Amino acid sequence: MSMAPGRVAPPRPPSMADVAALAGVSHQTVSRVLNDHPSVRPSTRERVVAAIAELGYRPNVAARALATARSGTLGILTMGSAHHGPSSTVVAVEAAARARGYFVSISSLGSYDAGSARSAVEHLLDQRVEGLVVVAPIAAVAEVVDDLVTAEPVVVVAAIEDAEGSTTRHVYVDQRLGARLATEHLLDLGHTRVAHVSGPPGWVDAQVRRAGWREVLAGRGLEPHEYEAGDWTAARGYEVGLRVAAEVAAGDGPTAVFAGNDMLAQGMLRALWEQGVVVPRDLSVVGFDDLEGSGYLVPALTTVRQPFQALGQAALEALLAEPAERASRGPAAVIAPELVVRGSTAAPRGTQGSTAVADRSV
């Protein structure tokens, strides 16, 4: 069909042939450069890369997928909400995948039941993803994924500590160690009544953090005292904070609290401030995650930092490893967190050395 008089045809996007002509190489050489083939000489690679930049050439992803029978896409199954840990992990995995030349397709869970998890996984597999990263630390979801048998590799980012016999590889930050670091820090300051504000019961992270806190107390012969928040929000932390403040005022409350995450801790800090409980003079508070801005609260929050960038990189490496290499590495890759000590923790009131240590990482 001819164009109407006066109409100008839109410019044709540059092709691989145009790149080859400008660089003075063959079409096959350009293809090898695009696919990072090792047999291309450095000087030739530089000419091709310069031609790509000059022309503004972009590879035809659909055509490459048809030619190679590979989609160049990885799938991420994640939560349907913006919780800090999962969302930060998704961002880190996407960045690591992009650096390796992969696109990412994300499917979010509408609910956390087995049927929704299975449907979301099948949706991603229907898109011919070359691998799947599951960033949904919910026990029910992890169990469903473990039961799936797929031709593509699957990595679950969740603190499933007993992964022996699992069909998938697990990568996670050591939540138990993080809880132990937080609790031991408070006990080492001299506290003997260290309470815990626990997260939602269905979350693997909440369960493991709670277990780590209990282990440390049991090891020192101390009784646990727990406040069940039910979710991760600052609003629930505020509600718990009002209860804690009343107990502290009555003289039978804890002298320190390990909150399940920074949002719970932030809500607590607001409630404690409103009720006249001075942190850390009257009560020490530790969080978990090291949310952006936690160091600028009043007082600055002592917390456990999760290295999400390292977590995302580890998840991608586990996904792209050869089958034999995955088997040799074992069922799980565990990354250590770090304790960041700031102004919200100090020795119990009336004891010596009650000044907190600011911004010290352990």
Side-chain angles (χ1 to χ4, degrees), residues 131-159:
L132 179 63
V133 179
V134 179
V135 187
I138 305 294
V141 174
E143 290 172 3
V144 168
V145 174
D146 272 349
D147 290 339
L148 293 174
V149 178
T150 71
E152 295 78 15
V154 177
V155 170
V156 175
V157 182

Side-chain angles (χ1 to χ4, degrees), residues 21-346:
L22 181 59
V25 298
S26 68
H27 183 282
Q28 185 179 30
T29 298
V30 175
S31 177
R32 286 175 175 171
V33 171
L34 290 172
N35 289 288
D36 202 24
H37 199 282
S39 65
V40 181
R41 287 183 297 181
S43 58
T44 302
R45 187 183 301 276
E46 289 176 5
R47 293 208 312 275
V48 172
V49 171
I52 290 172
E54 182 176 339
L55 294 173
Y57 170 71
R58 293 182 180 278
N60 187 324
V61 177
R64 182 188 295 182
L66 289 173
T68 63
R70 295 180 57 192
S71 67
T73 302
L74 303 177
I76 299 180
L77 174 62
T78 188
M79 319 292 296
S81 55
H83 292 293
H84 177 71
S87 61
S88 297
T89 304
V90 168
V91 170
V93 172
E94 190 279 332
R98 181 161 27 90
R100 295 286 291 270
Y102 285 89
F103 292 93
V104 167
S105 180
I106 299 176
S107 182
S108 298
L109 288 168
S111 58
Y112 305 147
D113 59 279
S116 296
R118 188 173 290 104
S119 176
V121 169
E122 290 174 352
H123 172 70
L124 288 169
L125 296 178
D126 287 344
Q127 297 180 48
R128 296 175 57 211
V129 295
E130 296 182 27
L132 179 63
V133 179
V134 179
V135 187
I138 305 294
V141 174
E143 290 172 3
V144 168
V145 174
D146 272 349
D147 290 339
L148 293 174
V149 178
T150 71
E152 295 78 15
V154 177
V155 170
V156 175
V157 182
I160 308 295
E161 298 177 322
D162 184 15
E164 292 295 338
S166 173
T167 58
T168 60
R169 182 166 170 79
H170 297 81
V171 178
Y172 57 90
V173 175
D174 194 335
Q175 307 294 312
R176 186 181 298 266
L177 174 60
R180 292 183 63 91
L181 290 173
T183 309
E184 288 169 353
H185 167 64
L186 293 170
L187 295 179
D188 290 346
L189 285 171
H191 295 278
T192 56
R193 291 180 291 169
V194 178
H196 178 51
V197 182
S198 58
W203 283 64
V204 176
D205 291 353
Q207 295 170 359
V208 178
R209 291 172 194 175
R210 177 176 177 269
W213 161 74
R214 280 183 167 270
E215 285 175 357
V216 174
L217 292 185
R220 302 205 188 184
L222 299 173
E223 290 294 321
H225 184 54
E226 182 177 357
Y227 302 90
E228 296 181 0
D231 65 31
W232 295 116
T233 65
R236 295 306 294 270
Y238 177 84
E239 294 174 5
V240 172
L242 293 176
R243 290 173 52 195
V244 174
E247 293 177 6
V248 170
D252 58 356
T255 62
V257 173
F258 163 43
N261 75 344
D262 282 2
M263 293 300 293
L264 290 170
Q266 289 179 14
M268 287 191 64
L269 289 177
R270 172 60 185 257
L272 295 169
W273 173 77
E274 288 183 355
Q275 299 303 309
V277 176
V278 178
V279 177
R281 186 195 67 188
D282 304 325
L283 183 77
S284 286
V285 178
V286 179
F288 203 110
D289 281 338
D290 195 23
L291 286 177
E292 184 176 356
S294 292
Y296 294 91
L297 298 172
V298 181
L301 183 63
T302 294
T303 186
V304 177
R305 177 180 296 155
Q306 299 202 70
F308 289 112
Q309 184 176 355
L311 179 63
Q313 187 64 45
L316 189 71
E317 290 177 358
L319 191 70
L320 300 181
E322 295 297 328
E325 186 179 359
R326 285 198 296 271
S328 66
R329 289 182 179 182
V334 184
I335 300 170
E338 62 175 322
L339 177 69
V340 181
V341 180
R342 299 190 178 110
S344 66
T345 53

